[in-house]
């Protein structure tokens, strides 16, 4: 079961699909995705894409807003690189036919909104479902391209390294991938492999992320010998819909950007007491404020109220939010929306350069799985899709510039020493225990004691999961659990190394800011895990 390609892309979000389209003009591409092509965090993105598109805005203003949100930890070179290439990325999407919301009276011809942390209106969007508009447009073109083969319901198990298959120094040569529906392992060989696997949200009990966000790329890269950085900076979105029948439904940042007010159950506003920017403060500040008020008052949620805006305006600007809330008995034109914080975005990830290259030759990482230095200690709203597009283009250019080589011949996956699992319930129990421990001990506000308690439990689970993985045939749930526990350990490891409170990492034991901002970089042990 050997499949050979020029490029193997793992993940089908905005980063993976935009890369596939850029590469497929010259190369044969395999696009592997765990579920359907549209199952990604990109598809769920509501707010929009930040870029300097208006003449009243400037590159320097966007950079400064990013630095301010990032709490002094943004890499200046990477930040400028992304912001300066933002307009071209948007023009590429417009050329592809993405239906951004238009506004006849604006100089651009498109409506620009504003979100928390931005000093200007610079968010181009497609109503309140920008990610879906981008994904739908790109997916149709990916499916139609003769040089792109799509493998849905396939999940990567691990990367294939030259050192492990008798080709020392060859770097990454592809991946072993489980065909979930056929229940068999396929070997994908490629001279260039791209990790576009998304985030780590499912490591937490409550998240705005889709079910596929299980840290797969980070865990595989770590096992392959790549450095990871700043994993402690987990952004908790302040406003996830609080309702027993709503699974991880996000209430867009743009609702606050357009005048939504956060209130206590009695209707009192509380953000003015927490930050002079009030509801437009960066996400980490708003999330901590909500967390503080909920714990202080013993309440289950707070409320986001935008009912003072005209009903027709709300229905046209936030059609999906309005429709979903109405399904659940909440009319946002007349009443406030109950909201709670939830794990939303990982600002850290696999260390990459400006061409999205990792520490392993032939291996690239783009999107949320990568650490580029753009987000610092806290991602500025709507910079994430921009990062996907800009670094997706950079990686594609780097791959296209390399001399074309034939795909390597790789050995098949070895299942000679494993058997069928005898107790699948172990997986579900470990999954639940891991996510509960992360939520309880590695949440919005942290202490060293809580982090060490989490680390102890995670490492016990890690040993148990490794034993299970070593003895039984792989399954989708086992692969994801194995990756989640590695990712959780990396998050806690980074959090324990940071002896300050900065951005998204808030420690009661170290409440002050250190005078110098430093990245938290973890290096894998030389002895790598082997099956």
């Amino acid at each position: 079961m050997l499949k050979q390609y020029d490029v193997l892309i793992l993940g089908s979000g905005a980063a993976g699909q935009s890369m596939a389209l850029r590469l497929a003009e010259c190369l044969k591409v395999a696009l592997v995705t765990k579920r359907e092509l549209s199952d990604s965090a990109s598809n769920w993105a509501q707010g929009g894409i930040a870029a300097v598109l208006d003449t009243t805005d400037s590159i320097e203003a966007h950079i400064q807003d990013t630095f301010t949100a990032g709490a002094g930890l943004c890499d200046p070179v990477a930040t400028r690189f992304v912001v300066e290439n933002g307009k071209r990325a948007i023009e590429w999407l417009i050329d592809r036919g993405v239906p951004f919301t238009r506004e006849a009276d604006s100089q651009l011809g498109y409506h620009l909104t504003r979100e928390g942390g931005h000093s200007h209106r610079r968010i181009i969007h497609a109503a309140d479902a920008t990610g879906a508009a981008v994904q739908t447009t790109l997916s149709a073109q990916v499916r139609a391209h003769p040089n792109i083969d799509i493998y849905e319901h396939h999940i990567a198990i691990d990367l294939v390294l030259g050192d492990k298959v008798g080709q020392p120094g060859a770097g990454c040569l592809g991946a072993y991938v489980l065909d979930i529906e056929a229940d068999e392992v396929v070997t994908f060989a490629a001279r260039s492999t791209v990790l576009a696997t998304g985030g780590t949200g499912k490591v937490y009990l409550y998240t705005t992320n889709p079910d596929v966000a299980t840290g797969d790329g980070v865990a595989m890269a770590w096992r392959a010998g790549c450095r990871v950085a700043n994993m402690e900076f987990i952004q908790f979105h302040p406003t996830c819909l609080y309702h027993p029948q709503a699974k991880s439904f996000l209430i867009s940042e743009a609702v606050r950007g357009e005048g939504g007010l956060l209130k206590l159950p009695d209707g009192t506003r509380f953000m003015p007491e927490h930050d002079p920017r009030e509801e437009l403060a960066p996400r980490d500040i708003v999330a901590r404020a909500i967390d503080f008020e909920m714990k202080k008052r013993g309440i289950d949620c707070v409320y986001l109220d935008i009912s003072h805006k005209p009903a027709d305006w709300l229905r046209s600007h936030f059609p999906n939010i309005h429709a979903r809330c109405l399904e659940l008995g909440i009319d946002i034109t007349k009443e406030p929306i109950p909201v709670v914080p939830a794990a939303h975005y990982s600002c850290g990830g696999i260390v990459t350069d400006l061409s999205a290259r990792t520490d392993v030759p032939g291996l690239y990482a783009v999107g949320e799985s990568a650490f580029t230095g753009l987000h610092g200690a806290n991602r500025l709203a709507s910079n994430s899709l921009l990062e996907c597009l800009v670094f997706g283009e950079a990686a594609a250019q780097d791959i296209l510039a390399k001399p074309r080589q034939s795909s390597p011949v790789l050995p098949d996956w070895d299942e000679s020493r494993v058997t069928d699992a005898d107790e699948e319930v172990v997986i579900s129990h470990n999954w639940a225990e891991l996510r509960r421990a992360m939520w309880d001990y590695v949440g919005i506000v942290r202490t060293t004691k809580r982090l060490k308690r989490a680390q102890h439990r995670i490492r016990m689970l890690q040993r148990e999961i490794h034993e299970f993985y070593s003895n039984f045939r792989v399954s989708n749930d086992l692969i994801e659990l194995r990756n989640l526990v590695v990712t959780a350990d990396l998050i806690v490891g980074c959090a324990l190394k940071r002896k300050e409170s900065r951005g998204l990492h808030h420690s009661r034991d170290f409440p002050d800011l250190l005078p110098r901002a430093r990245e938290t970089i973890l290096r894998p042990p030389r002895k790598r895990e082997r099956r």
Side-chain angles (χ1 to χ4, degrees), residues 3 5 8-13 17 30-40 135 139-140 142-143 148-156 177-184 186 188 212 476:
K3 295 183 180 292
Y5 289 89
L8 168 65
I9 299 176
L10 303 174
S12 62
Q17 290 201 39
L31 186 63
V32 171
T33 185
K34 289 160 68 172
R35 293 195 181 177
E36 304 290 334
L37 197 60
S38 61
D39 282 309
S40 70
Q135 286 284 95
S139 292
V142 165
R143 289 191 185 279
I148 302 173
D149 289 342
I150 302 166
Y151 294 89
E152 295 177 311
H153 303 289
H154 283 64
I155 178 171
V177 176
L178 175 66
D179 179 340
I180 298 168
E181 294 182 336
D183 193 25
E184 61 184 7
V186 183
F188 282 81
V212 294
N476 181 78

Side-chain angles (χ1 to χ4, degrees), residues 241-247 324 327-328:
L241 179 62
Y242 179 75
H243 192 283
Q245 296 173 25
K247 182 182 179 182
R324 180 59 178 145
E327 287 176 6
L328 299 169

Side-chain angles (χ1 to χ4, degrees), residues 52-59 61-62 107 112 119-122:
V52 178
L53 303 169
D54 190 90
T55 54
T56 62
D57 197 2
S58 70
I59 297 293
H62 191 176
Q107 57 174 291
L112 299 179
S119 58
H120 290 76
R121 284 183 172 267
R122 65 167 67 99

